[in-house]
Amino acid sequence: MRSRSLKLISLLPALALSAFVLSATGAVAAELEQQTSQASSVSISVKPVDVSSANWQFEVALNTHSGSLDDDLTKTATLLAAGKQYPATSWEGSAPGGHHRRGMLRFKAVAPRPDAIGLRIVRQGETAPRTFRWKLK
């Protein structure tokens, strides 16, 4: 019994070091808050789901009670990081049309990992883009 306890205790420094390395490299994603923007009778909510793998993922929801949500988010959404803009690589979710859409918007990971990121969505007929921002470090 004592031998088993000593083995477990001897693993603690290695586990602590592993956790530190993973968090420093961003492999353990911090909980980033969902943000919502309301304009022109359309609500857009965005939540970063994964910003630590090869493909960053954002959960996006669009809702309205007037008009049709025909946005092609692969063309109208841009990832902002380190002063540069990156196009979306894919959308997996509701097809254009209707009053309620939800899905996963994906981007190629940015390297090196930036201190902060943003997601900009430009909607036809709106005077200003919707911009959502998060600090990663």
Side-chain angles (χ1 to χ4, degrees):
M1 179 77 157
R2 182 180 161 114
S3 171
R4 182 180 290 167
S5 296
L6 288 174
K7 286 180 184 178
L8 288 174
I9 290 172
S10 69
L11 290 175
L12 288 177
L15 290 172
L17 179 61
S18 296
F20 173 77
V21 169
L22 288 174
S23 66
T25 61
V28 177
E31 184 67 26
L32 299 173
E33 295 293 321
Q34 175 177 304
Q35 296 181 24
T36 301
S37 169
Q38 177 72 41
S40 302
S41 73
V42 175
S43 172
I44 301 177
S45 296
V46 179
K47 180 174 182 11
V49 175
D50 179 2
V51 292
S52 60
S53 65
N55 292 296
W56 290 3
Q57 301 180 61
F58 295 79
E59 183 177 22
V60 179
L62 296 94
N63 293 287
T64 188
H65 292 287
S66 62
S68 181
L69 298 168
D70 297 322
D71 308 65
D72 179 349
L73 292 172
T74 61
K75 294 180 181 171
T76 62
T78 307
L79 179 66
L80 310 171
K84 297 180 181 174
Q85 299 182 25
Y86 302 88
T89 57
S90 69
W91 166 260
E92 184 177 318
S94 308
H99 295 291
H100 307 284
R101 295 184 61 201
R102 178 176 295 278
M104 201 65 65
L105 188 61
R106 291 184 177 85
F107 296 85
K108 185 176 177 185
V110 177
R113 184 178 169 92
D115 292 339
I117 58 171
L119 181 67
R120 177 177 295 144
I121 299 174
V122 177
R123 297 199 68 245
Q124 185 174 2
E126 291 187 1
T127 58
R130 313 283 187 104
T131 304
F132 307 87
R133 298 184 190 281
W134 299 270
K135 290 185 179 181
L136 299 182
K137 294 182 182 180

